[in-house]
Amino acid sequence: MRKKSGLKLFLIILCIAIASYIALNGLEIGIYRIVPLGEGVQQGLDLKGGLYVVYEADIAPGDPDRDNKIEGAIRVMRNRLDRANQHEATIAPQGTNRIVVEIPGVSNPQELADILMKPAVLEFIGPEGDVIITGKDVKSAKPGYITGQKPVVHFELHPEGAKKFAEATEKYLGKVIKIVLDGNPISQPKVNEEIPNGQGVIEGMENIEEAKTLANLIESGALPVELKQVEVRTIGATLGANALERGILAGIVGLSLVFLFMLVYYRLPGLVADLALVVYALLVMLITVVARITITLPGIAGIVLSIGMAVDANVLIFERMKEELRAGKTMRAALDAGFSKAFSAILDSNVTTLIAGVVLLYFGTGPIQGFAKTLMLGVVVSLFTAVVFTKYVLRLIIDLNVQNKKLYGV
């Protein structure tokens, strides 16, 4: 039993050490490379600087389709930015008819501004000059091949657009339907057959690159509403590189002092709490990178606040545990009683914080939502590390027959 617990404890510490090394330095094995977690974290506009653009949608007051048009415009702009490799950009609605775009770390602001400053209107126009469908009716457009390796564009329409397009292809069979972007024809395909289900192909491309270009123009130009640019700013980082380095140094110093205090005051449980904080930091960074959460100054505040809650949870548990030891209980009984008595208070504080986070996320915008996201993430992770991880590791230590109460801060 003692050997088994010792082996488990050793493996846990070894895994934490390896994970910490990889998180800080990355890892390269053959063609596979894991970058340091710090490089994978997306920094917000206030940390990295960049481009800030506000668009106003031309929507009539009381338009029942307002929300759908705004959502469609955001989707199109997201596609445009992704194609420009601006995956860290954030796009969010503002008020009833505005859209805010923030692009951190822009090296060529004017080029990106040009992409976003030309919101296009896509139309399919019949031989009689009538608009058959518009960009909002287009669900997708992808390049591909048909029989004989002929490059084409496969397109799919939403149900309402499919119905209108079926009527048009029946009416204009054998004639040309122009695809027009911003008043300029980008393709003039001939209707060879009726398209009743909203799924068809556009032929006539010389190569697959031409098909890709046309598909991108159809898909990314499919803005469901006209947009007017009302504000464009190239802004610097609120926190300069030097200040950011100092902030990171301050964080390291602060965490080191917390580690030292927990170790000196609570000893073995304090050491376990320190390990739990390391696990907490690794998990938060990993989830932030995988979930592509953009970190801003308020977001950092949310993480720091949740660190405090993680330490507070451990303090509650260890104090209850010390009380049980002073009352004469065995180590295992004191451990179980300490966690049991402290759990309700820890759960209450974390749940109320999560409720506040949900409210901020729902009603807030921009930086407030960033704070809410990191706070909620930190609370969930800290609850796991403070309760599950700490209790399991302390059990392993007690199984090693470490019975000296002084080592538990009593």
Side-chain angles (χ1 to χ4, degrees):
M1 182 71 176
R2 188 182 298 180
K3 286 184 178 177
K4 193 175 178 181
S5 297
L7 179 61
K8 287 181 180 177
L9 193 59
F10 172 75
L11 289 175
I12 288 172
I13 295 172
L14 181 64
C15 288
I16 293 173
I18 293 173
S20 300
Y21 176 82
I22 295 175
L24 292 173
N25 303 289
L27 184 67
E28 191 166 354
I29 302 175
I31 60 173
Y32 300 101
R33 180 171 182 263
I34 301 173
V35 299
L37 283 181
E39 293 182 13
V41 174
Q42 296 183 4
Q43 296 180 8
L45 213 60
D46 51 358
L47 295 177
K48 207 172 181 179
L51 187 66
Y52 178 89
V53 189
V54 180
Y55 283 104
E56 188 172 276
D58 184 15
I59 300 176
D63 187 339
D65 201 30
R66 182 192 64 198
D67 292 344
N68 288 334
K69 289 179 177 177
I70 292 293
E71 288 176 9
I74 289 176
R75 185 172 59 249
V76 170
M77 296 174 91
R78 178 79 267 169
N79 287 337
R80 291 181 178 184
L81 289 171
D82 286 346
R83 288 194 180 93
N85 293 320
Q86 296 299 331
H87 303 290
E88 298 178 8
T90 59
I91 308 173
Q94 184 186 67
T96 57
N97 64 339
R98 288 192 172 189
I99 298 172
V100 176
V101 182
E102 295 182 349
I103 312 170
V106 177
S107 58
N108 190 342
Q110 191 55 51
E111 182 180 336
L112 275 173
D114 289 343
I115 293 174
L116 295 172
M117 287 169 62
K118 293 180 180 177
V121 176
L122 183 77
E123 295 172 322
F124 286 58
I125 298 178
E128 298 173 0
D130 53 323
V131 177
I132 301 168
I133 57 173
T134 63
K136 69 177 182 181
D137 296 309
V138 178
K139 185 177 182 180
S140 66
K142 306 292 179 190
Y145 294 97
I146 57 173
T147 308
Q149 291 298 300
K150 289 171 60 179
V152 297
V153 173
H154 297 273
F155 66 90
E156 185 177 356
L157 306 175
H158 291 294
E160 189 178 342
K163 184 180 177 183
K164 290 185 285 188
F165 202 65
E167 294 171 356
T169 51
E170 181 184 10
K171 180 180 178 181
Y172 297 130
L173 189 62
K175 298 181 180 179
V176 170
I177 292 180
K178 293 181 182 177
I179 304 174
V180 179
L181 185 64
D182 271 351
N184 300 314
I186 57 174
S187 182
Q188 302 187 52
K190 182 180 176 183
V191 180
N192 295 322
E193 58 183 12
E194 182 184 349
I195 300 176
N197 58 1
Q199 296 182 359
V201 296
I202 301 172
E203 302 178 26
M205 273 64 70
E206 293 185 359
N207 51 54
I208 192 63
E209 293 302 320
E210 188 177 340
K212 285 180 181 176
T213 301
L214 180 59
N216 287 342
L217 284 171
I218 292 174
E219 204 169 51
S220 65
L223 275 171
V225 61
E226 291 190 41
L227 298 175
K228 181 175 68 177
Q229 175 192 298
V230 294
E231 184 177 356
V232 176
R233 280 187 290 149
T234 303
I235 59 178
T238 306
L239 197 64
N242 188 43
L244 183 60
E245 289 176 5
R246 287 175 174 269
I248 292 172
L249 178 62
I252 292 173
V253 172
L255 273 177
S256 300
L257 291 175
V258 171
F259 283 1
L260 187 62
F261 170 79
M262 294 297 288
L263 185 61
V264 171
Y265 194 77
Y266 291 105
R267 300 175 191 178
L268 265 181
L271 178 61
V272 175
D274 291 346
L275 284 176
L277 278 179
V278 174
V279 174
Y280 162 88
L282 291 172
L283 288 176
V284 167
M285 288 191 68
L286 182 62
I287 295 172
T288 300
V289 172
V290 173
R292 304 180 68 82
I293 298 173
T294 300
I295 297 298
T296 59
L297 285 176
I300 292 175
I303 293 174
V304 172
L305 183 57
S306 63
I307 290 176
M309 294 187 67
V311 175
D312 185 53
N314 281 322
V315 168
L316 280 173
I317 293 167
F318 299 157
E319 287 298 329
R320 299 290 86 77
M321 189 176 165
K322 285 165 70 175
E323 289 175 3
E324 299 300 324
L325 285 173
R326 292 191 186 102
K329 288 189 177 180
T330 62
M331 289 293 175
R332 183 171 287 277
L335 174 68
D336 292 338
F339 272 86
S340 177
K341 290 183 177 179
F343 183 73
S344 60
I346 295 170
L347 187 63
D348 286 349
S349 65
N350 280 272
V351 169
T352 50
T353 306
L354 280 175
I355 291 172
V358 170
V359 173
L360 289 174
L361 186 64
Y362 185 78
F363 291 102
T365 58
I368 297 176
Q369 287 185 327
F371 172 78
K373 285 178 185 175
T374 55
L375 177 63
M376 292 167 66
L377 169 64
V379 166
V380 173
V381 175
S382 69
L383 188 62
F384 167 76
T385 55
V387 176
V388 179
F389 177 84
T390 303
K391 186 175 184 180
Y392 183 73
V393 175
L394 276 175
R395 277 180 180 275
L396 293 178
I397 292 174
I398 291 173
D399 288 342
L400 293 175
N401 201 27
V402 180
Q403 299 293 329
N404 189 341
K405 292 184 180 180
K406 290 183 179 178
L407 293 177
Y408 295 86
V410 178

